[in-house]
Short mmCIF file of all heavy atoms in Angstrom, two decimals:
data_model
loop_
_atom_site.label_atom_id
_atom_site.label_comp_id
_atom_site.label_asym_id
_atom_site.label_seq_id
_atom_site.Cartn_x
_atom_site.Cartn_y
_atom_site.Cartn_z
N LEU A 91 12.98 -26.08 14.22
CA LEU A 91 14.16 -25.74 15.03
C LEU A 91 14.61 -26.92 15.89
O LEU A 91 15.80 -27.15 16.09
CB LEU A 91 13.85 -24.54 15.93
CG LEU A 91 13.90 -23.15 15.29
CD1 LEU A 91 13.51 -22.09 16.29
CD2 LEU A 91 15.29 -22.86 14.73
N ILE A 94 16.70 -29.63 13.83
CA ILE A 94 18.01 -29.42 13.20
C ILE A 94 19.08 -29.44 14.30
O ILE A 94 18.77 -29.35 15.48
CB ILE A 94 18.06 -28.10 12.40
CG1 ILE A 94 17.65 -26.90 13.25
CG2 ILE A 94 17.20 -28.19 11.15
CD1 ILE A 94 17.75 -25.56 12.54
N SER A 95 20.33 -29.55 13.87
CA SER A 95 21.40 -29.70 14.86
C SER A 95 21.55 -28.42 15.67
O SER A 95 21.17 -27.33 15.24
CB SER A 95 22.71 -30.03 14.15
OG SER A 95 23.17 -28.86 13.50
N HIS A 96 22.12 -28.55 16.84
CA HIS A 96 22.30 -27.44 17.76
C HIS A 96 23.06 -26.29 17.11
O HIS A 96 22.67 -25.12 17.19
CB HIS A 96 23.03 -27.97 18.99
CG HIS A 96 23.23 -26.94 20.04
ND1 HIS A 96 24.36 -26.17 20.14
CD2 HIS A 96 22.39 -26.53 21.03
CE1 HIS A 96 24.24 -25.35 21.14
NE2 HIS A 96 23.05 -25.52 21.72
N ASP A 97 24.16 -26.62 16.42
CA ASP A 97 25.00 -25.58 15.81
C ASP A 97 24.28 -24.84 14.71
O ASP A 97 24.33 -23.61 14.62
CB ASP A 97 26.28 -26.21 15.24
CG ASP A 97 27.19 -26.67 16.35
OD1 ASP A 97 26.90 -26.31 17.52
OD2 ASP A 97 28.16 -27.39 16.05
N LEU A 98 23.60 -25.63 13.87
CA LEU A 98 22.86 -25.03 12.75
C LEU A 98 21.78 -24.11 13.29
O LEU A 98 21.55 -22.99 12.80
CB LEU A 98 22.25 -26.13 11.88
CG LEU A 98 21.55 -25.65 10.60
CD1 LEU A 98 22.51 -24.92 9.69
CD2 LEU A 98 20.90 -26.82 9.88
N ARG A 99 21.10 -24.57 14.34
CA ARG A 99 20.03 -23.79 14.95
C ARG A 99 20.56 -22.43 15.42
O ARG A 99 19.98 -21.38 15.13
CB ARG A 99 19.49 -24.59 16.14
CG ARG A 99 18.34 -23.94 16.85
CD ARG A 99 17.53 -24.97 17.58
NE ARG A 99 18.30 -25.66 18.63
CZ ARG A 99 18.26 -26.96 18.85
NH1 ARG A 99 17.53 -27.73 18.09
NH2 ARG A 99 18.97 -27.49 19.82
N PHE A 100 21.70 -22.46 16.09
CA PHE A 100 22.29 -21.20 16.57
C PHE A 100 22.65 -20.28 15.41
O PHE A 100 22.41 -19.07 15.45
CB PHE A 100 23.53 -21.49 17.43
CG PHE A 100 23.19 -21.50 18.88
CD1 PHE A 100 22.67 -22.64 19.48
CD2 PHE A 100 23.35 -20.35 19.66
CE1 PHE A 100 22.31 -22.65 20.81
CE2 PHE A 100 23.00 -20.36 20.99
CZ PHE A 100 22.48 -21.51 21.58
N MET A 101 23.21 -20.89 14.36
CA MET A 101 23.63 -20.10 13.22
C MET A 101 22.42 -19.42 12.56
O MET A 101 22.42 -18.21 12.33
CB MET A 101 24.34 -20.99 12.20
CG MET A 101 25.07 -20.24 11.13
SD MET A 101 25.84 -21.40 10.00
CE MET A 101 24.56 -21.57 8.80
N ARG A 102 21.37 -20.21 12.31
CA ARG A 102 20.18 -19.67 11.64
C ARG A 102 19.53 -18.57 12.45
O ARG A 102 19.17 -17.51 11.94
CB ARG A 102 19.16 -20.80 11.39
CG ARG A 102 19.57 -21.76 10.30
CD ARG A 102 19.45 -21.12 8.93
NE ARG A 102 20.40 -21.69 8.00
CZ ARG A 102 20.29 -22.90 7.45
NH1 ARG A 102 19.27 -23.67 7.72
NH2 ARG A 102 21.20 -23.33 6.61
N LEU A 103 19.41 -18.79 13.75
CA LEU A 103 18.77 -17.78 14.59
C LEU A 103 19.60 -16.51 14.63
O LEU A 103 19.08 -15.40 14.58
CB LEU A 103 18.55 -18.32 16.01
CG LEU A 103 17.45 -19.39 16.13
CD1 LEU A 103 17.39 -19.96 17.53
CD2 LEU A 103 16.09 -18.81 15.76
N HIS A 104 20.92 -16.67 14.68
CA HIS A 104 21.79 -15.50 14.66
C HIS A 104 21.62 -14.72 13.37
O HIS A 104 21.52 -13.49 13.38
CB HIS A 104 23.26 -15.91 14.84
CG HIS A 104 23.66 -15.96 16.28
ND1 HIS A 104 23.65 -17.12 17.00
CD2 HIS A 104 24.03 -14.98 17.14
CE1 HIS A 104 24.01 -16.86 18.25
NE2 HIS A 104 24.25 -15.58 18.36
N GLU A 105 21.59 -15.43 12.26
CA GLU A 105 21.42 -14.78 10.96
C GLU A 105 20.08 -14.04 10.88
O GLU A 105 19.98 -12.91 10.44
CB GLU A 105 21.51 -15.81 9.83
CG GLU A 105 22.91 -16.27 9.53
CD GLU A 105 22.94 -17.49 8.61
OE1 GLU A 105 21.86 -18.05 8.29
OE2 GLU A 105 24.03 -17.88 8.22
N LEU A 106 19.08 -14.74 11.37
CA LEU A 106 17.72 -14.21 11.28
C LEU A 106 17.56 -12.95 12.13
O LEU A 106 16.97 -11.95 11.70
CB LEU A 106 16.75 -15.30 11.76
CG LEU A 106 15.27 -15.06 11.59
CD1 LEU A 106 14.95 -14.91 10.12
CD2 LEU A 106 14.48 -16.22 12.17
N PHE A 107 18.13 -12.96 13.32
CA PHE A 107 17.91 -11.86 14.25
C PHE A 107 18.71 -10.61 13.90
O PHE A 107 18.59 -9.58 14.55
CB PHE A 107 18.20 -12.31 15.68
CG PHE A 107 17.19 -13.31 16.20
CD1 PHE A 107 17.39 -13.97 17.41
CD2 PHE A 107 16.04 -13.58 15.48
CE1 PHE A 107 16.45 -14.88 17.87
CE2 PHE A 107 15.10 -14.48 15.93
CZ PHE A 107 15.31 -15.14 17.14
N ASP A 124 14.27 -22.75 24.90
CA ASP A 124 15.33 -22.01 25.56
C ASP A 124 16.35 -21.40 24.60
O ASP A 124 16.77 -20.25 24.76
CB ASP A 124 16.06 -22.91 26.56
CG ASP A 124 15.18 -23.17 27.77
OD1 ASP A 124 14.24 -22.35 27.97
OD2 ASP A 124 15.40 -24.16 28.48
N ASP A 125 16.75 -22.20 23.59
CA ASP A 125 17.76 -21.71 22.64
C ASP A 125 17.30 -20.44 21.96
O ASP A 125 18.05 -19.47 21.82
CB ASP A 125 18.04 -22.77 21.57
CG ASP A 125 18.85 -23.92 22.14
OD1 ASP A 125 19.21 -23.82 23.33
OD2 ASP A 125 19.11 -24.89 21.40
N LEU A 126 16.03 -20.45 21.55
CA LEU A 126 15.47 -19.29 20.86
C LEU A 126 15.49 -18.07 21.78
O LEU A 126 15.92 -16.98 21.38
CB LEU A 126 14.03 -19.63 20.44
CG LEU A 126 13.23 -18.51 19.81
CD1 LEU A 126 13.71 -18.26 18.40
CD2 LEU A 126 11.75 -18.85 19.79
N ASP A 128 17.39 -17.53 24.40
CA ASP A 128 18.77 -17.10 24.67
C ASP A 128 19.29 -16.20 23.56
O ASP A 128 19.84 -15.13 23.82
CB ASP A 128 19.69 -18.33 24.79
CG ASP A 128 19.47 -19.03 26.12
OD1 ASP A 128 18.81 -18.41 27.00
OD2 ASP A 128 19.94 -20.18 26.28
N VAL A 129 19.12 -16.68 22.33
CA VAL A 129 19.65 -15.89 21.20
C VAL A 129 18.91 -14.56 21.12
O VAL A 129 19.52 -13.51 20.89
CB VAL A 129 19.53 -16.67 19.87
CG1 VAL A 129 20.14 -15.86 18.73
CG2 VAL A 129 20.22 -18.01 19.97
N ASN A 132 20.35 -12.16 23.50
CA ASN A 132 21.62 -11.59 23.01
C ASN A 132 21.38 -10.40 22.10
O ASN A 132 22.17 -9.46 22.08
CB ASN A 132 22.40 -12.65 22.23
CG ASN A 132 23.07 -13.62 23.15
OD1 ASN A 132 23.20 -13.35 24.35
ND2 ASN A 132 23.46 -14.77 22.61
N PHE A 133 20.31 -10.49 21.33
CA PHE A 133 20.02 -9.42 20.36
C PHE A 133 19.05 -8.38 20.95
O PHE A 133 18.53 -7.56 20.22
CB PHE A 133 19.39 -10.03 19.09
CG PHE A 133 20.40 -10.66 18.18
CD1 PHE A 133 20.81 -11.96 18.38
CD2 PHE A 133 20.94 -9.93 17.12
CE1 PHE A 133 21.73 -12.54 17.53
CE2 PHE A 133 21.85 -10.51 16.27
CZ PHE A 133 22.26 -11.83 16.47
#
Side-chain angles (χ1 to χ4, degrees):
Chain A
L91 280 177
I94 54 177
S95 73
H96 182 266
D97 290 350
L98 185 61
R99 182 156 63 223
F100 264 84
M101 192 180 92
R102 287 288 151 74
L103 288 174
H104 271 96
E105 284 169 354
L106 188 61
F107 291 171
D124 288 340
D125 286 357
L126 175 74
D128 285 347
V129 183
N132 283 344
F133 282 85

